[in-house]
Amino acid sequence: MISPPPSFYDIKNGFKSSFDYIRRKDKIDNLFELNNEKFWHSCWIVFFVNALVAVLASYGIKASFDISMKANLLPKLILITIIDISLFAILVFHIFKNLNKEDLFLKFIIPFNWIQGFQAFIMLSFTFFGLFLPASIFLFFGFALIIIVTFALWRLGKEEIGFSGWGAAGLIILSVLSEAGIGLISRSLSKFFM
């Protein structure tokens, strides 16, 4: 059963735990609660942050954008987000199951989702600050953040789960490919049905 969305306290703790893991403060077992409820909380946070990005993307870009096109874009972006979160979790679970590591699934997916949500939230903050300050500053910080978070996600797979370096990199690549693949499929389907 799907748990309700996380409380503000859960979100604060999830982002703090993500930040502490990125800074190598502690191990996953000490930073995150690893149970089914916390799995759904991690999925909710990825959904909330991506939905916020989707709202800004559909309503905040290009004033010349046709209003009806914007109204159609938002539900599609939110649906893509839901499919992406579900697909990635299912693929990772089957990979872990085939490698007899299914007991480590929650240990991987919960921090992975929280760290990605934390990164997206920081990048979103950079976007807001970029409206008032020179954008070039935030390009540098954004690029640095992507490198630091990617390394943290790689450490998660390698050090916490016990994959090889290439296996840990493969999980990150799988995340990127699933999101990009769903985006491409939805774009081609929307052209087909228009």
Side-chain angles (χ1 to χ4, degrees):
M1 183 165 158
I2 297 175
S3 296
S7 66
F8 177 77
Y9 178 77
D10 293 324
I11 294 170
K12 181 181 75 85
N13 284 343
F15 281 169
K16 182 184 179 311
S17 297
S18 300
F19 186 59
D20 287 345
Y21 183 73
I22 290 169
R23 294 183 308 148
R24 293 179 171 247
K25 284 284 192 185
D26 211 340
K27 296 282 189 186
I28 291 298
D29 293 324
N30 301 327
L31 293 172
F32 294 91
E33 290 182 51
L34 305 172
N35 57 46
N36 285 337
E37 180 184 21
K38 298 304 178 185
F39 164 71
W40 287 110
H41 286 178
S42 75
C43 292
W44 275 110
I45 201 63
V46 172
F47 173 74
F48 286 147
V49 173
N50 287 346
L52 183 58
V53 170
V55 167
L56 293 173
S58 64
Y59 292 106
I61 56 174
K62 294 190 181 178
S64 63
F65 224 7
D66 182 271
I67 301 253
S68 64
M69 194 169 171
K70 285 183 185 180
N72 290 334
L73 182 62
L74 181 60
K76 290 176 188 174
L77 291 173
I78 290 177
L79 181 62
I80 289 169
T81 299
I82 293 169
I83 293 170
D84 176 45
I85 294 166
S86 305
L87 178 65
F88 181 68
I90 291 167
L91 290 173
V92 169
F93 179 77
H94 282 293
I95 290 169
F96 277 51
K97 187 176 180 183
N98 288 334
L99 297 173
N100 295 321
K101 290 182 180 265
E102 58 191 281
D103 55 322
L104 297 174
F105 171 71
L106 291 178
K107 186 175 182 176
F108 176 79
I109 199 73
I110 292 171
F112 192 93
N113 284 345
W114 275 108
I115 292 169
Q116 280 199 320
F118 177 74
Q119 175 192 357
F121 183 76
I122 297 297
M123 294 295 276
L124 197 57
S125 302
F126 287 170
T127 303
F128 284 124
F129 287 123
L131 297 173
F132 309 108
L133 299 168
S136 58
I137 296 171
F138 298 106
L139 285 174
F140 172 76
F141 286 122
F143 185 70
L145 179 68
I146 289 170
I147 290 172
I148 291 166
V149 167
T150 301
F151 183 69
L153 293 174
W154 179 81
R155 279 191 310 112
L156 173 63
K158 186 171 186 332
E159 296 173 7
E160 300 285 340
I161 306 302
F163 282 115
S164 68
W166 287 109
L171 291 171
I172 296 168
I173 292 167
L174 177 64
S175 171
V176 172
L177 289 178
S178 69
E179 189 171 344
I182 290 167
L184 289 172
I185 290 169
S186 68
R187 186 177 300 154
S188 64
L189 286 175
S190 66
K191 287 179 184 175
F192 178 72
F193 289 113
M194 287 183 111

